[in-house]
Amino acid sequence: MAGPRELPTDEVLVQRLRSGDEETFALVLDSWSGGMLRLAMSFVSTRDSAEEAVQDTWLAVIRGIDGFEGRASLKTWVYRILVNTAKARGTKESRTVPFASLLPQEEEGPTVDAERFRAPGERYAGHWVAGQEPRPWDIPEDHVLRGEVREVIAAAIDELPPRLRTVITLRDVAGYGSDEVCALLEISPGNQRVLLHRGRALLRRKLEAYLSGAHDVASGRGHA
Amino acid sequence: MNCNDFVELVTEFLDGALPEGDERRFVEHLAECSGCETYLDQFRQTIAATGELTSDGISSDARRHLLTAFRDWQREA
C-alpha cells in the first residue's frame, strides 16, 4: 500500500488533533495535502481552485474533528470532505464529473492499439503481431531515470480524463482498496475497475513510448 | 484466450476479481505467451511507479494559514 508510512494510528492522531497538538496537525497536513490536491484537480478546473478546495477541507476538518466518529478511517473521512467540497466547487464552475453515466467516447475502445494484434480472420487472430508485442523494459536503478519515469507518469496522470484520473489517484497513488473507492465515489465495482484499467493502460502506454524512445537513442533501434 | 482479450483483463486479474474459469484461461495464456507476460509485468511496474509518486503539497502561504487556523481554533475551544 502506498501512502503515508510513518503516521501514528488513527486513534492517536485524532486524540492529538483534538488536544490541539500543532505538530500532529502539520504532520497530517504535509502527508495528505499533495494527494488531496491531485484528487481535487479531478473536480475543478484550475490548480488555484483545487488548492482552495484543499484549504476549505482542512478548515472543515479543524472545525469537525470533535465530531469525527471513527466509522471510516481518518483519511477516508478527510477525503470524503474533500470530494464533497471539490465537487461543489466544480459544479459552480460547471465542471461536473458524472460518475454514474455511461463512459464517454474517449474512454471506450480497446486499451491497446488494435493494430498491434492480428486481425480477425488472419491466422492467430487476436495475438500480437510479430514485432508489435511489448518489448521488455529495462528501467535502470539510476535515480535520475527513475525520477524521469516518475515525471512521465505524473504528467500522464494530469492528462487523463477526470474520472480516470480520480480513480487512479485514489487506487494507485493514495493506495485505497477498491471497496473504499467505490464507497467514496459511489460507483459500482465493475465501473471502478473499468476506469482503473483504462487509466493504468494509458499510463503504461506513455511509459512504453517514453522508454522505447529512450532505448532507440541508446541502441539505435529504429521504429517501423 | 487471445492476447487482445488478455490485455483487457489484467486489472481484474490483479484484483482477484476474475471468475475461476477466466482466471484459469488467463494463467494458461500467460504461461504460453511471452508478449503477454511482458505486458503483465509492465502493468505491474506501472502501478508500482505510480505508487511512488509524491505530489507537491499546498503552497507555503496556505500551509501557514492553516496552521494559524488550527492554533486559533484551539484557543477558542
Side-chain angles (χ1 to χ4, degrees), chain B:
Chain B
M1 182 176 294
N2 289 345
C3 307
N4 57 353
D5 302 321
F6 181 98
V7 299
E8 302 301 344
L9 296 175
V10 172
T11 290
E12 263 178 278
F13 171 75
L14 293 176
D15 267 1
L18 277 183
E20 206 177 306
D22 288 343
E23 188 181 78
R24 200 185 62 242
R25 283 185 283 278
F26 187 94
V27 171
E28 280 167 6
H29 181 86
L30 188 63
E32 291 171 351
C33 179
S34 64
C36 285
E37 195 178 5
T38 301
Y39 190 85
L40 177 63
D41 187 44
Q42 292 175 346
F43 216 84
R44 280 207 176 97
Q45 287 189 56
T46 302
I47 296 165
T50 306
E52 287 175 15
L53 283 186
T54 45
S55 37
D56 311 338
I58 47 175
S59 67
S60 52
D61 274 358
R63 187 175 183 277
R64 212 172 311 122
H65 170 69
L66 287 167
L67 287 172
T68 306
F70 183 76
R71 201 173 307 137
D72 291 349
W73 162 80
Q74 203 47 39
R75 214 174 286 143
E76 284 164 26

Side-chain angles (χ1 to χ4, degrees), chain A residues 9-221:
Chain A
T9 62
D10 270 10
E11 213 172 306
V12 173
L13 282 180
V14 172
Q15 187 259 319
R16 286 187 189 160
L17 288 174
R18 282 180 181 157
S19 68
D21 181 34
E22 285 180 40
E23 223 172 284
T24 299
F25 182 68
L27 182 68
V28 289
L29 187 63
D30 294 339
S31 302
W32 296 345
S33 291
M36 289 165 68
L37 203 53
R38 218 176 259 284
L39 179 56
M41 285 296 296
S42 304
F43 298 97
V44 299
S45 39
T46 66
R47 193 189 149 96
D48 282 350
S49 187
E51 181 148 329
E52 281 166 29
V54 172
Q55 284 198 59
D56 289 349
T57 300
W58 282 118
L59 292 173
V61 167
I62 292 170
R63 283 191 298 267
I65 189 68
D66 277 330
F68 171 69
E69 291 174 355
R71 275 191 292 233
S73 76
L74 181 65
K75 193 176 176 191
T76 299
W77 181 68
V78 172
Y79 267 43
R80 270 201 197 125
I81 297 174
L82 175 73
V83 168
N84 290 333
T85 307
K87 250 190 208 166
R89 290 190 80 91
T91 309
K92 244 189 266 166
E93 295 166 7
S94 357
R95 195 187 137 152
T96 47
V97 181
F99 272 97
S101 64
L102 291 168
L103 292 176
Q105 194 89 46
E106 80 265 21
E107 291 166 23
E108 282 169 2
T111 56
V112 174
D113 191 348
E115 291 184 4
R116 295 181 67 171
F117 301 107
R118 290 164 192 259
E122 266 184 59
R123 203 165 170 211
Y124 304 120
H127 289 254
W128 297 102
V129 170
Q132 286 293 315
E133 66 273 47
R135 288 167 193 276
W137 286 343
D138 176 24
I139 306 181
E141 293 298 311
D142 179 62
H143 70 276
V144 177
L145 184 53
R146 287 202 73 81
E148 284 174 15
V149 163
R150 232 168 282 162
E151 275 170 34
V152 170
I153 292 183
I157 289 179
D158 288 344
E159 286 171 19
L160 287 177
R163 301 184 315 155
L164 271 54
R165 192 188 323 143
T166 305
V167 175
I168 279 276
T169 303
L170 288 169
R171 285 291 306 271
D172 291 346
V173 182
Y176 280 99
S178 62
D179 291 353
E180 290 170 299
V181 174
C182 290
L184 203 56
L185 300 177
E186 294 168 348
I187 53 177
S188 71
N191 218 341
Q192 187 260 159
R193 216 175 288 120
V194 169
L195 295 169
L196 179 64
H197 186 68
R198 303 202 71 81
R200 286 171 167 178
L202 280 164
L203 298 189
R204 195 207 69 90
R205 245 151 66 183
K206 291 280 166 92
L207 265 191
E208 179 178 56
Y210 173 76
L211 290 168
S212 65
H215 283 192
D216 284 349
V217 173
S219 67
R221 177 164 54 80

